[in-house]
Structure formats: structure tokens, C-alpha cells
Amino acid sequence: MKNIVILISGGGSNMAAIARAAREEDWGRRHGAAVAAVISNRQDAPGLGIARSLGIATAVVSHKSFESRERFDDALADAIDAYSPTLVVLAGFMRILTPPFVSRYQGRLLNIHPSLLPAFPGLDTHRRAIEAGCRIAGATVHEVTADLDHGPILAQAAVPVMADDTPERLAERVLAVEHRLYPKSVADWLMRGSSRQA
Ligand code: GRF
């Protein structure tokens, strides 16, 4: 079985979209894959309760318990590796990862970013897109590399920016397309993985 481990920090709506797609589209039969665990760096992440209600194992590795980024990333990698993952999926995981962590999972570490990369890497993307006068915004699924929000792009989805948009309204519109884009991108990745192995 190809284990998928999903990392979250907050609401976990992308994680839930992936977990539901895995169930509804029977990824076990189609891809030999399953969401094995959801891991959060925050004990109070609402997504943890959603994961449990979907019958998925959860774990917390709090960044506050470690004196350095390196130590936190080591503990996080131990928690991830307990599930022997084929794929690690960042879904609203709000920590900058160290280069050793990224290289440990290179090629099997995905992220979703709420902008049309390479535009607007980093935080506060929706406000920045509105202020720049963008007519189109969107989301990008990419492979994670040591360069924040700059890895190879796997998929994108666009939405219009309305004249009277607020960052909150635009975020809602983008999040709705993320919920289709991310599960599809993960399924495509699994499919390519299986054809590579075939
Ligand atoms: C999403 O907009 C994602 O693109 C960004 O953080 C948000 C996470 O939302 N990285 P959720 O936790 O999946 O609901």
C-alpha cells in the first residue's frame, strides 16, 4: 500500500477533500494508496478533529516543544516515517521546512499554494493579488524544493478577481477550486508513480 501522510496546521479543508476523494474514488483499488495519517504542528488545529472523524490516524508534533527548526524537523520526520510514506502532502502546513527535511522527501513532497505561482509566493497572497490589480487569481500544486514556493509546478486552477473583492472573498473562491485541484493532483501523482513502477 502506498501511504499518504498529510501535514496540516489549521482548518484542514484540503486534507478533508483529499481524504474524501480517496474514499469516494477508491484510491485503494485504483492506486493501491491510502491516507495513512494526518500530522499537525498545532494541537488545536481544527483539521485534526475532521481527520479523526474520517477514521484517519492523527499525530501532533508541536514546533513550540523544540528549540530549533532543525530539531523540530527531525521530530516531524520521525513522526512521518512511522507511517512509511510514499507521498507527503502539505495542506495548509504553516512552517518553513529546513533543506535536510526537504531533501529527505524530495520528489514525493507536494504543496498547495493559494496563488498562481510564480506570482505571489509567501503569505497574504489574496490581498497582494487584489492590490496588484490582478484580474485572475488561483492556486498552484507544486513539488516542494528548498526554495520556498518555487518547486516544479504540477497543476494550477484559476478564478476571476471581482472588482469589489476583499481578500476574504477571494480566498473563499480560491479555496473552493483548491478542493478539486489538490485531490486530482495527488491522484495524478499516484497514477504516474504506478506507471513508473509498472
Ligand atoms: C489553503 O488556502 C492553502 O492553499 C494554503 O493554506 C490554506 C489551507 O486551508 N496553503 P485548509 O487548512 O486546507 O482549509
Side-chain angles (χ1 to χ4, degrees):
M1 184 62 78
K2 292 176 196 150
N3 286 339
I4 303 167
V5 172
I6 305 181
L7 306 189
I8 64 167
S9 296
S13 66
N14 277 292
M15 172 278 297
I18 293 167
R20 291 199 179 100
R23 181 179 296 177
E24 283 159 20
E25 297 165 12
D26 199 356
W27 287 6
R29 190 181 52 78
R30 287 168 73 165
H31 306 302
V35 178
V38 170
I39 301 175
S40 173
N41 64 310
R42 299 182 62 106
Q43 182 85 51
D44 60 353
L48 286 171
I50 300 175
R52 284 188 210 108
S53 73
L54 291 168
I56 301 168
T58 61
V60 175
V61 182
S62 170
H63 59 278
K64 293 189 187 140
S65 313
F66 298 90
E67 77 240 10
S68 68
R69 246 179 230 290
E70 288 73 18
R71 288 277 163 78
F72 167 70
D73 278 5
D74 284 346
L76 182 62
D78 286 345
I80 293 169
D81 290 349
Y83 293 94
S84 309
T86 299
L87 179 64
V88 179
V89 172
L90 308 181
F93 187 67
M94 303 303 285
R95 300 294 302 171
I96 292 173
L97 297 162
T98 58
F101 180 96
V102 172
S103 69
R104 184 186 190 110
Y105 300 106
Q106 190 93 53
R108 55 192 178 109
L109 182 59
L110 305 186
N111 183 43
I112 190 160
H113 183 75
S115 79
L116 293 172
L117 290 173
F120 310 120
L123 296 174
D124 219 3
T125 55
H126 306 301
R127 184 187 55 74
R128 288 156 66 206
I130 291 168
E131 284 178 7
C134 293
R135 302 296 203 268
I136 296 171
T140 303
V141 175
H142 66 97
E143 274 184 33
V144 177
T145 60
D147 200 3
L148 183 73
D149 297 332
H150 276 88
I153 291 173
L154 301 183
Q156 290 186 307
V159 301
V161 180
M162 307 302 184
D164 59 349
D165 258 347
T166 60
E168 292 72 26
R169 271 205 293 267
L170 180 55
E172 215 175 291
R173 197 173 310 120
V174 171
L175 197 58
V177 299
E178 290 183 42
H179 295 162
R180 294 192 293 276
L181 183 71
Y182 214 1
K184 167 91 170 55
S185 305
V186 172
D188 287 348
W189 190 95
L190 293 167
M191 189 85 89
R192 280 203 307 279
S194 6
S195 57
R196 264 201 303 267
Q197 279 157 24

